[in-house]
């Protein structure tokens, strides 16, 4: 409990100090609860998510960093490894491959990398996975781009 | 009694040492050695027969040559007087001894300066004649001779209080005893000093170190370096040494004060300082001495022992490389910092 709080506080200071270090990631701690974080990540370029801003919700367990944080997309995203309704993310480092040396910031980076490199063989979004597994990259990209435009881009006029 | 009085006597000297820096430290250690030698000589002479007669002679000769000494050394008259007092207190053992033992110290040198030359010279004579005075006393003779002036100053200052000399004598006797014990079984103190606390390890690393002699340079000096750096700032290390005072401190301050301070600039120190995170990357607590010398994984990822234990209880994989910890060997060797990190390197 105390260790996780200290660790999160240090991460908070780190984030404040290096706000511009990673322009694709904006980590914000909840005002009243250091165990609740939200992050805004930019969709990586040359992917169907380019131009979108995706919101992530972090829920940090008290055993953190020995236990990984629970992360889910708050923004709708069409991705084989993200549950379309709940936003749950299937990512090994958030499950069994977690290392206490990781930080919330590095989790965000890993999620950006996952967006650029989907793993269709362990899908949470079966429709998306099936499109990729059947080789319909264009179909996957247009679906993903559409949802990016619908959910992750600021509404224009 | 001895064990009680000795740390009390040493604490001011430790504080002095920190404040005055390296040069003064060597002077202080030289003075301590001097005291030790004098105490040993007194012990030895007390077994002998003649005392009072020689004492009388020396006082007379001292009184004659006091003006000469002031002209030579430019000392304050007060100091001269004190030195003469000291000679009286010592019952002139020094000169009696030096006359009989080492002819090089001629009676004409009986001023305040040669009081110490005589003592150091005679100590070298005694150390050569008596096997009980170790290499330490032999080694300190050069230091005594070269820094004789400073010794005189400190000695003169120290003799202003009558009690001080008494304490010095106690300390000297205890030091002599400890030095003897140490020489007989040099590693006797190292096994019990392998503790879990960083304080204990600090002391153990210090008192083990001089025993190893030239080999210690090739060993992993991380814990020692971590030790030595904060010494100049706070008195933590000295407090730790007080517990082990009879064995560890004589080695530290007397025999190896210069080599240890030289070793601070060694390559091992630089390496450890650059590679060492100041806080645990897992829990963000500051790494103490035990933690900084703890290398649980080959990949070099460091963390505090507390987090390491918690990780061992869960998935037991290194956070840095995610390989499983080879926990048993590591956990076994981690209490002994020096040996532990060394065996780790050798084992893999």
């Amino acid at each position: 409990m105390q260790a996780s709080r200290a660790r999160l506080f240090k991460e908070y200071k780190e984030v404040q100090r290096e706000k511009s270090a990673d322009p694709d990631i904006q980590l914000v701690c909840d005002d009243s609860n250091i165990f609740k974080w939200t992050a805004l990540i930019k969709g990586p370029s040359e992917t169907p998510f380019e131009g979108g801003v995706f919101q992530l919700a972090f829920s940090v367990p008290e055993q953190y960093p020995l236990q990984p944080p629970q992360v889910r997309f708050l923004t709708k995203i069409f991705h084989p490894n993200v549950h379309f309704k709940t936003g749950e993310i299937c990512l090994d480092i958030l499950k069994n491959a977690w290392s206490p040396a990781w930080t919330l910031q590095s989790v965000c980076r890993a999620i950006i990398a996952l967006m650029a490199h989907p793993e269709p063989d362990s899908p949470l979004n079966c429709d998306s996975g099936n499109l990729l597994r059947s080789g319909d990259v264009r179909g996957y990209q247009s679906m993903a781009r559409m949802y990016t435009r619908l959910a992750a881009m600021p509404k224009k006029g | 009694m001895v064990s009680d009085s000795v740390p009390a006597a040493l604490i001011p000297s430790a504080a002095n040492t920190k404040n005055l820096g390296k040069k003064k430290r060597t002077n202080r250690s030289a003075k301590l050695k001097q005291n030790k030698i004098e105490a040993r000589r007194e012990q030895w002479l007390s077994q002998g027969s003649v005392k009072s007669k020689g004492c009388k002679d020396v006082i007379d000769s001292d009184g004659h040559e006091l003006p000469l000494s002031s002209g030579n050394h430019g000392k304050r008259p007060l100091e001269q007087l004190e030195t003469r007092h000291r000679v009286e207190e010592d019952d002139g053992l020094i000169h009696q001894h030096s006359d009989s033992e080492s002819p090089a110290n001629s009676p004409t040198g009986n001023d305040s300066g040669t009081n110490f030359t005589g003592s150091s010279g005679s100590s070298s004579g005694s150390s050569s004649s008596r096997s009980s005075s170790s290499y330490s006393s032999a080694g300190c003779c050069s230091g005594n001779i070269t820094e004789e002036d400073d010794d005189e100053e400190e000695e003169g200052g120290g003799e202003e209080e009558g009690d001080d000399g008494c304490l010095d004598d106690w300390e000297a006797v205890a030091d002599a005893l400890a030095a003897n014990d140490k020489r007989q079984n040099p590693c006797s103190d190292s096994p019990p000093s392998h503790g879990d606390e960083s304080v204990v390890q600090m002391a153990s690393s210090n008192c083990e170190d001089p025993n190893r002699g030239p080999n210690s340079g090739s060993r992993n000096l991380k814990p020692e370096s971590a030790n030595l750096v904060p010494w100049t700032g706070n008195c933590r290390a000295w407090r730790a040494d007080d517990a082990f005072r009879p064995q560890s401190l004589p080695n530290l301050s007397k025999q190896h004060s210069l080599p240890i301070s030289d070793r601070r600039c060694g390559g091992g120190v630089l390496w450890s300082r650059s590679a060492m995170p100041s806080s645990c990357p897992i829990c963000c607590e500051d790494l103490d001495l035990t933690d900084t010398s703890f290398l649980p994984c080959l990949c070099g990822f460091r963390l505090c022992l507390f987090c390491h234990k918690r990780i061992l209880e869960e998935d037991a994989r290194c956070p840095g490389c995610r390989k499983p910890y080879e926990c048993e060997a590591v956990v076994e060797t981690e209490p002994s910092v020096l040996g532990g990190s060394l065996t780790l390197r050798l084992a893999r």
Side-chain angles (χ1 to χ4, degrees):
Chain A
M1 175 69 174
Q2 208 56 42
S4 59
R5 202 177 282 273
R7 159 76 180 247
L8 284 170
F9 189 67
K10 192 193 176 194
E11 286 194 37
Y12 176 78
K13 285 195 287 187
E14 197 84 6
V15 163
Q16 298 300 313
R17 199 177 60 219
E18 300 177 359
K19 251 180 179 164
S20 57
D22 200 335
D24 294 338
I25 299 171
Q26 193 181 344
L27 254 176
V28 184
C29 179
D30 190 287
D31 285 337
S32 57
N33 189 353
I34 203 170
F35 293 99
K36 300 287 181 195
W37 294 63
T38 55
L40 294 174
I41 58 175
K42 290 181 183 172
S45 56
E46 298 176 18
T47 67
F49 311 105
E50 184 174 4
V53 174
F54 298 85
Q55 191 174 3
L56 301 171
F58 286 78
S59 177
V60 184
E62 289 187 355
Q63 292 80 27
Y64 181 82
L66 297 188
Q67 296 288 322
Q70 297 174 337
V71 191
R72 64 187 189 94
F73 272 94
L74 290 181
T75 309
K76 278 257 182 295
I77 182 172
F78 186 79
H79 188 283
N81 304 113
V82 181
H83 196 283
F84 190 71
K85 285 188 175 154
T86 65
E88 182 192 345
I89 303 170
C90 178
L91 184 56
D92 58 349
I93 65 136
L94 293 176
K95 305 286 192 315
N96 52 3
W98 168 254
S99 158
W102 289 73
T103 62
L104 300 183
Q105 185 93 10
S106 55
V107 166
C108 290
R109 280 193 213 108
I111 290 173
I112 291 175
L114 179 72
M115 288 163 78
H117 303 280
E119 294 280 348
D121 288 334
S122 58
L124 275 175
N125 184 337
C126 291
D127 293 338
S128 174
N130 284 337
L131 281 174
L132 276 178
R133 279 202 280 189
S134 63
D136 189 358
V137 176
R138 176 180 283 200
Y140 159 76
Q141 286 186 343
S142 32
M143 284 289 281
R145 197 175 294 117
M146 184 190 77
Y147 279 108
T148 301
R149 204 165 290 168
L150 280 177
M153 286 190 182
K155 302 275 189 296
K156 289 179 186 170
Chain B
M1 175 67 183
V2 173
S3 60
D4 282 341
S5 69
V6 162
L10 236 282
I11 288 169
S13 80
N16 252 350
T17 306
K18 278 176 302 179
N19 289 335
L20 295 177
K22 194 194 275 184
K23 184 165 183 280
K24 281 294 180 184
R25 191 179 312 145
T26 58
N27 293 338
R28 175 60 81 169
S29 66
K31 182 197 167 191
L32 289 175
K33 283 177 210 161
Q34 181 110 18
N35 281 331
K36 184 167 112 185
I37 291 160
E38 285 173 6
R40 194 173 290 150
R41 188 167 54 251
E42 284 172 15
Q43 281 178 345
W44 186 51
L45 284 177
S46 65
Q47 296 167 1
S49 55
V50 196
K51 242 183 196 180
S52 58
K53 204 174 180 184
C55 145
K56 199 71 178 170
D57 288 340
V58 170
I59 291 172
D60 285 341
S61 67
D62 235 11
H64 285 309
E65 283 158 15
L66 271 176
L68 189 147
S69 72
S70 66
N72 278 342
H73 290 262
K75 296 288 172 198
R76 300 189 305 269
L78 180 61
E79 256 184 55
Q80 302 293 339
L81 284 175
E82 283 154 8
T83 317
R84 193 179 52 172
H85 276 309
R86 183 166 177 279
V87 173
E88 288 172 3
E89 287 167 8
D90 287 346
D91 290 339
L93 296 181
I94 294 162
H95 296 298
Q96 186 191 2
H97 182 66
S98 64
D99 284 344
S100 63
E101 186 110 6
S102 57
N105 294 310
S106 62
T108 57
N110 277 342
D111 54 11
S112 71
T114 37
N115 184 12
F116 295 94
T117 341
S119 64
S120 63
S122 63
S123 73
S124 68
S126 69
S127 68
S128 62
S129 64
R130 301 170 63 230
S131 63
S132 70
S133 45
S134 63
Y135 60 95
S136 69
S137 64
C140 82
C141 282
S142 63
N144 269 346
I145 289 169
T146 53
E147 295 170 358
E148 197 176 332
D149 288 343
D150 291 334
D151 266 347
E152 283 166 22
E153 289 170 10
E154 287 204 339
E155 199 72 29
E159 295 301 329
E160 288 178 8
E161 307 101 21
D163 290 342
D164 196 16
C166 183
L167 279 180
D168 280 351
D169 284 348
W170 272 110
E171 186 185 2
V173 171
D175 286 351
L177 290 176
N180 275 331
D181 291 346
K182 198 154 196 61
R183 205 170 40 254
Q184 281 161 9
N185 44 358
C187 296
S188 66
D189 56 335
S190 47
S193 58
H194 289 310
D196 274 325
E197 297 173 353
S198 63
V199 171
V200 173
Q201 277 164 0
M202 214 182 281
S204 76
S205 69
N206 288 333
C207 68
E208 280 175 20
D209 205 36
N211 288 330
R212 304 284 169 89
N215 291 334
S216 61
S218 63
R219 285 183 309 133
N220 182 14
L221 287 176
K222 257 182 299 141
E224 190 189 347
S225 69
N227 254 347
L228 286 171
V229 175
W231 271 5
T232 54
N234 54 28
C235 37
R236 191 173 156 218
W238 291 107
R239 186 162 45 78
D241 271 338
D242 285 346
F244 294 82
R245 160 80 182 92
Q247 280 121 359
S248 62
L249 206 53
N251 275 332
L252 241 197
S253 62
K254 296 187 176 181
Q255 295 164 5
H256 284 265
S257 60
L258 274 181
I260 284 179
S261 57
D262 284 344
R263 262 180 263 149
R264 277 182 219 183
C265 315
V269 176
L270 291 176
W271 171 81
S272 66
R273 198 177 286 159
S274 62
M276 196 71 62
S278 64
S279 63
C280 172
I282 309 302
C283 65
C284 302
E285 298 291 327
D286 287 341
L287 292 178
D288 63 11
L289 174 73
T290 317
D291 300 328
T292 52
S293 53
F294 174 49
L295 188 60
C297 184
L298 251 196
C299 73
F301 187 87
R302 293 177 181 277
L303 72 171
C304 70
L305 287 167
F306 183 70
C307 289
H308 180 251
K309 181 174 175 297
R310 288 212 300 166
I311 288 174
L312 282 186
E313 287 167 355
E314 297 206 0
D315 61 352
R317 288 181 308 164
C318 171
C321 62
R322 295 213 205 101
K323 286 180 188 144
Y325 275 128
E326 299 168 29
C327 50
E328 296 311 320
V330 174
V331 175
E332 286 303 319
T333 54
E334 69 189 35
S336 64
V337 179
L338 290 171
S341 49
L342 184 64
T343 47
L344 272 183
R345 270 137 213 267
L346 292 178
R348 295 180 186 177

